[in-house]
Amino acid sequence: MRQVKIGVLGCGTAAHFHASACKYLDNIRLVSAFDVNYENAKKLADIYNLTVSRNYQDIMKNENIDAVLITLPHYLHAELTITAAEAGKHILCEKPMAPTLEECDKMIKAARKAGVKLMIAENHRFLPAHQLIKKTLESGLIGTPLLVRGYEGVDETPDLAKPEHWKGSPEKAGGGVLMDAAVHKFAILNWMLGDVHSAYCWLAKQIIKLQNKAEDNAMMLLKFENGCVGSVVVSDTVFSPPNNRLEFYGTEGTILEDHSWKKPVQIFSTSKEAGEHRYQWFSPDVEHEPFPMYYIISFRNEDAHFAECVLDGREPDFSPEEAKKAVEVALLCYLSAKTGKIVTRSDIEKVAISKGTQSIIEGLEKIYI
Ligand SMILES: NC(=O)c1ccc[n+]([C@@H]2O[C@H](COP(=O)([O-])OP(=O)(O)OC[C@H]3O[C@@H](n4cnc5c(N)ncnc54)[C@H](O)[C@@H]3O)[C@@H](O)[C@H]2O)c1
């Protein structure tokens, strides 16, 4: 059987999502787990029948392992991706690609040099509901998109409230909820609407008051190169099940999406192309189930795609360059929050040349209203 064998680096929440999703797949198998916290590796290994590696070098040297799954705090993504590439392993690395653009570039370069596949695990790109929205936009059913709204809300307060936990730490996570959650939205909005032109952003610290933690809520206003404008709101302090929403308002119709709906996408179109559905809401069939199943569905599709790319020598549909662009939008928003100004992508380029993009995330814990 053609199968990609995976070594898991980091055995927390995301590793468990991947492991439960991979149970449904024949072309990928998690074989070994490493975590700096042995108990976490052991727990994943016991549930999913993996071996435990005592250090990451054992995974890198293991000739039975084709690829690594990096489910580690954000500051480790670049280092482990580069090490894995140099060891000849293909890489599936969780989002965000890395907290700085320079690290993203190094990851891309290392993978290209080694001739291995690098895919950032952006599960939102592989959610059937999002793929349906992309097709609907391309079909012209809602005309030209003029306005978009995106939302993600989760409860991360248990980890954020721990002073030593990496979540929310600018140093280890590259920021708070914006770097963690809004990159999902940026990755899919770039894919659906094209590049962001400029951004304005507010960061708030409403529940997590720890001095070393960054924002727990964020609101961003975006203008896209194609003229569409919109808002993205993300929260780590939502005390109800996790949820995501997208709304697109176009010259000929509307798309509403909500992950908590059984049929997650509703479309209203005034276009003749809508046929019998013209002038009424309709919800096309799409594979979906409310939380937590939409995680498993999107992770399953994502992991299956990564394995196909490795086995068939294809480049991933979600390229590392696109993942870098999502990080760039996050940095655009952080730069706006820091300066209190509307920021364009050329402003980021100037910072990258003068001080490096690390300078944007430094001191984020002090920037909030
Ligand atoms: N796509 C999604 O929906 C989704 C959901 C959750 C997390 N994530 C992403 O997955 C990644 C991990 O997040 P998480 O929520 O699983 O975090 P987590 O804190 O639950 O797990 C991280 C694990 O890494 C281990 N670790 C920390 N430092 C280490 C080191 N130096 N060497 C080895 N192991 C180390 C920790 O012990 C822990 O077990 C992040 O990039 C996060 O953004 C994505």
Side-chain angles (χ1 to χ4, degrees):
M1 186 194 304
R2 291 170 81 231
Q3 197 174 53
V4 178
K5 297 189 188 62
I6 304 269
V8 184
L9 305 174
C11 303
T13 310
H16 281 265
F17 280 135
H18 283 281
S20 8
C22 286
K23 278 192 312 188
Y24 298 96
L25 301 172
D26 291 330
N27 65 355
I28 188 164
R29 185 157 66 89
L30 308 188
V31 293
S32 193
F34 167 68
D35 196 292
V36 73
N37 178 337
Y38 176 79
E39 290 307 316
N40 289 2
K42 176 96 174 62
K43 186 173 170 197
L44 188 81
D46 286 350
I47 301 175
Y48 296 100
N49 199 20
L50 279 63
T51 61
V52 176
S53 292
R54 289 283 178 172
N55 55 57
Y56 72 84
Q57 289 93 337
D58 284 352
I59 288 192
M60 302 296 177
K61 279 190 258 161
N62 188 333
E63 286 180 4
N64 191 36
I65 289 179
D66 308 300
V68 292
L69 168 64
I70 300 180
T71 33
L72 287 165
H74 307 159
Y75 76 107
L76 295 168
H77 289 185
E79 183 187 332
L80 269 298
T81 293
I82 293 163
T83 306
E86 286 170 356
K89 306 295 182 201
H90 303 284
I91 302 133
L92 179 61
C93 174
E94 262 301 337
K95 47 52 65 177
M97 187 170 189
T100 69
L101 298 183
E102 293 80 356
E103 287 170 292
C104 296
D105 286 335
K106 285 181 190 161
M107 292 162 80
I108 293 170
K109 200 170 159 196
R112 293 274 138 78
K113 186 171 172 205
V116 295
K117 302 293 170 212
L118 167 60
M119 181 170 128
I120 302 306
E122 178 43 79
N123 63 310
H124 285 223
R125 276 287 297 260
F126 296 88
L127 188 77
H130 287 162
Q131 291 173 334
L132 171 66
I133 293 174
K134 165 88 168 151
K135 276 199 192 119
T136 306
L137 289 168
E138 284 172 351
S139 73
L141 268 189
I142 72 155
T144 304
L146 303 173
L147 181 69
V148 62
R149 298 206 302 172
Y151 164 80
E152 170 155 351
V154 294
D155 175 15
E156 288 281 4
T157 56
D159 285 341
L160 286 175
K162 294 176 196 150
E164 299 312 319
H165 199 281
W166 68 273
K167 287 211 170 159
S169 147
E171 205 184 314
K172 294 188 170 171
V177 63
L178 197 164
M179 183 58 85
D180 196 31
V183 285
H184 285 302
K185 292 285 170 250
F186 302 149
I188 55 170
L189 292 178
N190 280 334
W191 177 49
M192 292 172 181
L193 297 172
D195 287 349
V196 167
H197 171 269
S198 47
Y200 189 77
C201 170
W202 290 270
L203 304 177
K205 233 164 128 170
Q206 290 164 305
I207 294 204
I208 303 303
K209 303 291 186 188
L210 293 170
Q211 283 182 1
N212 67 336
K213 297 292 174 102
E215 81 285 349
D216 54 17
N217 283 276
M219 165 141 194
M220 293 136 272
L221 301 178
L222 302 176
K223 185 178 161 204
F224 291 82
E225 296 279 2
N226 69 0
C228 185
V229 291
S231 65
V232 172
V233 173
V234 284
S235 176
D236 265 349
T237 64
V238 169
F239 301 106
S240 50
N243 199 13
N244 275 267
R245 284 187 212 117
L246 278 176
E247 297 171 11
F248 293 87
Y249 301 93
T251 49
E252 295 182 59
T254 296
I255 302 170
L256 302 179
E257 187 250 3
D258 187 312
H259 282 24
S260 70
W261 296 339
K262 281 197 175 143
K263 291 188 111 185
V265 182
Q266 292 196 22
I267 303 167
F268 190 97
S269 175
T270 62
S271 159
K272 277 194 212 139
E273 300 301 317
E276 58 175 339
H277 297 300
R278 197 177 181 199
Y279 297 122
Q280 50 182 272
W281 288 104
F282 65 103
S283 300
D285 286 331
V286 64
E287 185 187 14
H288 188 83
E289 281 185 57
F291 179 82
M293 268 312 285
Y294 66 74
Y295 274 86
I296 304 305
I297 292 168
S298 56
F299 276 64
R300 184 204 63 202
N301 292 354
E302 162 189 276
D303 294 356
H305 178 70
F306 172 72
E308 279 164 22
C309 290
V310 170
L311 294 169
D312 300 342
R314 278 166 53 196
E315 286 310 312
D317 285 351
F318 182 55
S319 71
E321 287 78 7
E322 287 172 283
K324 177 186 162 191
K325 219 169 239 188
V327 172
E328 187 186 34
V329 183
L331 293 171
L332 195 69
C333 293
Y334 277 141
L335 189 59
S336 165
K338 276 183 122 173
T339 58
K341 293 184 177 153
I342 295 172
V343 167
T344 65
R345 290 174 64 215
S346 62
D347 293 317
I348 294 284
E349 277 169 33
K350 283 182 209 147
V351 174
I353 291 165
S354 63
K355 296 183 267 186
T357 57
Q358 173 71 29
S359 66
I360 298 173
I361 53 179
E362 278 164 1
L364 276 180
E365 68 281 5
K366 299 190 193 82
I367 313 296
Y368 56 93
I369 49 169

